[in-house]
Amino acid sequence: MDDHLTTAPPAAAISTYPVSLRINGQQHRFEVEAWVTLLDLLRERAGLTGSKKGCDHGQCGACTVLVGGKRINSCLTLAVMQNGKDITTVEGLADGTRLHPLQQAFIEHDAFQCGYCTPGQLCSAVGLMNEGQAGTVADVRELMSGNVCRCGAYPGIVAAVTEVMGLPERKDNPDRPYLPGTVPA
């Protein structure tokens, strides 16, 4: 028998923690490791793949969901930190088969992007409306700045949000030129 061979100590069991979330109106219970983000829990364990993993650093907003009606980047929060909270994803915005007014406005204003960032844009816009801080188009632009994807649909997104909020469109800066299909500066 070789005296130099040793047996590795048994690996420690990975601890999990109970997490209870109300997601899109339904109660769910999970056992998660401490490092699981809310985004990964939603996508990989709850099967809600509408929220996207973009930058995974909280910079793009593709993962935006609502927690208690407030928007957050779900890639930056741990699932265990949200225990007991009410989560709304893009899948939970519609009322059955009736679209959320913002979803309908996105259709009417051709505000859909490639589809990757749209769920985050929709959740962020709903959160923006819940916050009640936007009074002008410029406010909408500023408060949506956490969702950085700025493809050609961005003017449509601003138009959709301002329409649903009942804000006068483009009255705060009529000199700012915009051409459909261009990326605003």
Side-chain angles (χ1 to χ4, degrees):
M1 181 159 198
D2 190 351
D3 291 336
H4 299 297
L5 291 178
T6 59
T7 305
I14 297 173
S15 296
T16 60
Y17 302 89
V19 173
S20 178
L21 300 171
R22 186 171 171 80
I23 305 171
N24 298 332
Q26 294 188 339
Q27 197 67 38
H28 296 267
R29 297 187 192 289
F30 304 93
E31 287 289 327
V32 299
E33 297 81 10
W35 58 81
V36 173
T37 66
L38 179 60
L39 175 62
D40 288 340
L41 180 139
L42 291 170
R43 290 183 54 81
E44 297 170 11
R45 300 187 189 191
L48 298 169
T49 57
S51 303
K52 302 296 188 262
K53 184 178 278 196
C55 66
D56 211 18
H57 291 87
Q59 296 175 346
C60 73
C63 66
T64 304
V65 299
L66 303 171
V67 176
K70 296 182 178 180
R71 54 193 167 155
I72 68 164
N73 292 325
S74 61
C75 74
L76 291 183
T77 188
L78 297 173
V80 294
M81 295 169 62
Q82 304 307 325
N83 186 31
K85 304 271 179 77
D86 210 5
I87 312 293
T88 303
T89 68
V90 70
E91 292 93 340
L93 294 180
D95 183 14
T97 58
R98 197 176 86 217
L99 295 177
H100 185 282
L102 200 56
Q103 292 171 310
Q104 187 62 46
F106 266 51
I107 292 171
E108 293 167 3
H109 289 277
D110 196 22
F112 288 106
Q113 303 172 324
C114 66
Y116 204 81
C117 296
T118 301
Q121 295 274 5
L122 283 164
C123 284
S124 185
V126 170
L128 177 152
M129 293 188 313
N130 292 343
E131 293 164 7
Q133 296 181 21
T136 66
V137 174
D139 292 341
V140 170
R141 285 190 189 108
E142 176 63 25
L143 293 169
M144 291 292 292
S145 65
N147 295 75
V148 296
C149 186
R150 297 285 193 264
C151 72
Y154 192 68
I157 293 169
V158 173
V161 174
T162 56
E163 177 187 283
V164 172
M165 294 184 70
L167 298 175
E169 190 176 351
R170 303 193 187 289
K171 297 293 184 197
D172 60 339
N173 188 358
D175 296 329
R176 183 176 181 193
Y178 127 79
L179 298 171
T182 61
V183 179

